[in-house]
Amino acid sequence: MRASNKWKSYRVIDTSDGEKLEIWNGVTLIRPDPQVIWKTSKNKKLWEKADAHYHRSNSGGGKWEFHAKLPENWELFYENLNLKFKIRPTGFKHTGLFPEQAVNWDFMNALIQKAQRPVKVLNLFAYTGGATLACANAGAEVCHVDASKGMVQWARENANLSNLQDKPIRWIVDDCEKFTLREIRRGRRYDAIIMDPPSYGRGPSGEIWKLENCIYDLVQNCVNVLSDNPVFFLINSYTTGLSPSVMGYILNSLLTEKFGGYVYFDEIGLPVEQSGMCLPCGATAVWCKNNAERNFYEK
């Protein structure tokens, strides 16, 4: 497992009985986590200090219980890449950021710098822009695509906070599949592709997206917008049952035959202070042109 262990303003304090106790730049939250199936003993003094607690409902969804008055939003700083993010509790347990992704941000940032040439990046299902900012920070030109207008606006705010507002970033509100097909027709090409697709969703016309049924075709389409000398292709997933090796198999099948190169895959996670273990948080697979880039992946 690759752990995002370079945070200073974010920490996972403990995990037990379906929940995790976190500190977000001084704000302590308890949130549900489906990976936490263990029922280890809790240090009550730590858990009772939470400023807010998200409770899941048996009928779906849930709500926040606030034990302290929180600001409407606050900032989280990722010192390793000098990035800042706006944080706020949203309606469905999330805060606008997935801190475990920092290990992927570091990896992509290092690859772009190592390329020592102009790199164009396509970031699909780009959410609030963590990967976009990490790539722009390294000097890449980025096309940021997400179907949610609110998420794209949030990403732009994060770019402003990180002093990256003048970097060459295209902010696109669109369906990622349809946008990719139009880019193929337009003849646009990218040197790197990032995607973090949802497990399940519905399109504006009722189309059903189910990751395990759609991911192969999406990656196959994306191969057609890669340049002749691509740098990397990274897929991240939070879909239960879709292992890193499955995504690695897809990348190997579709990219190594055409471009050569190497595929790496693994879980990503967050260190837990009370146990000294790592909380598994998702799966990543990446294709790279050179095997030497494994050094960046495994750091």
Side-chain angles (χ1 to χ4, degrees):
M1 180 186 293
R2 296 182 302 130
S4 291
N5 54 15
K6 296 178 181 177
W7 285 98
K8 294 181 181 178
S9 56
Y10 171 83
R11 297 151 58 202
V12 179
I13 306 301
D14 198 9
T15 60
S16 182
D17 199 16
E19 295 182 316
K20 56 188 174 186
L21 176 67
E22 313 160 287
I23 297 180
W24 297 76
N25 194 16
V27 178
T28 304
L29 304 178
I30 298 174
R31 297 191 297 152
D33 192 305
Q35 298 287 352
V36 184
I37 63 172
W38 46 89
K39 298 181 180 181
T40 49
S41 60
K42 294 181 178 180
N43 182 329
K44 289 186 177 180
K45 289 183 178 180
L46 293 175
W47 287 79
E48 288 172 353
K49 291 180 179 178
D51 297 307
H53 188 168
Y54 187 90
H55 298 279
R56 272 253 168 85
S57 168
N58 292 331
S59 59
K63 65 178 182 179
W64 286 96
E65 176 189 6
F66 294 97
H67 303 143
K69 184 174 177 57
L70 300 184
E72 183 179 346
N73 56 73
W74 65 96
E75 294 177 8
L76 192 69
F77 184 43
Y78 185 53
E79 294 86 352
N80 200 49
L81 295 180
N82 199 33
L83 303 178
K84 283 186 180 180
F85 302 94
K86 184 182 82 170
I87 303 299
R88 65 175 176 84
T90 66
F92 184 66
K93 85 172 182 176
H94 297 302
T95 63
L97 193 71
F98 292 86
E100 62 272 12
Q101 287 298 325
V103 71
N104 285 333
W105 304 339
D106 291 338
F107 173 63
M108 293 182 284
N109 184 280
L111 288 186
I112 291 166
Q113 291 191 60
K114 180 177 179 288
Q116 296 186 322
R117 62 180 173 91
V119 175
K120 291 185 177 181
V121 177
L122 175 61
N123 186 10
L124 300 172
F125 311 96
Y127 196 50
T128 61
T132 293
L133 302 189
C135 294
N137 170 281
E141 179 182 330
V142 186
C143 181
H144 174 111
V145 186
D146 197 280
S148 167
K149 183 178 180 180
M151 291 300 105
V152 173
Q153 178 57 36
W154 195 333
R156 296 186 75 147
E157 292 172 20
N158 287 335
N160 291 337
L161 287 174
S162 301
N163 294 315
L164 297 171
Q165 65 272 16
D166 296 326
K167 295 293 184 179
I169 303 173
R170 294 171 63 207
W171 304 102
I172 307 293
V173 179
D174 203 350
D175 176 90
C176 290
E177 289 184 283
K178 292 177 181 177
F179 177 81
T180 301
L181 291 173
R182 285 196 294 272
E183 291 291 86
I184 293 171
R185 293 194 294 271
R186 287 188 283 247
R188 287 208 178 101
R189 295 294 178 262
Y190 298 89
D191 305 298
I193 294 177
I194 308 160
M195 64 170 68
D196 193 348
S199 300
Y200 181 84
R202 287 186 179 273
S205 302
E207 310 95 326
I208 295 177
W209 163 274
K210 196 172 181 182
L211 183 60
E212 53 266 44
N213 295 338
C214 302
I215 185 65
Y216 184 87
D217 291 341
L218 178 60
V219 175
Q220 191 171 43
N221 286 335
C222 285
V223 170
N224 293 319
V225 295
L226 281 172
S227 66
D228 293 334
N229 187 26
V231 179
F232 67 84
F233 193 125
L234 185 144
I235 307 174
N236 189 79
S237 171
Y238 292 98
T239 302
T240 303
L242 189 64
S243 69
S245 57
V246 168
M247 296 187 297
Y249 198 104
I250 291 172
L251 290 181
N252 189 70
S253 300
L254 291 173
L255 278 92
T256 55
E257 183 176 340
K258 183 173 183 178
F259 299 107
Y262 300 84
V263 173
Y264 318 126
F265 45 87
D266 206 346
E267 288 184 290
I268 58 174
L270 291 162
V272 180
E273 292 185 4
Q274 286 294 295
S275 67
M277 302 284 285
C278 264
L279 172 66
C281 297
T284 297
V286 60
W287 170 90
C288 294
K289 192 63 181 281
N290 300 307
N291 194 36
E293 288 153 353
R294 177 182 287 273
N295 294 330
F296 296 123
Y297 187 76
E298 294 180 343
K299 278 185 179 179

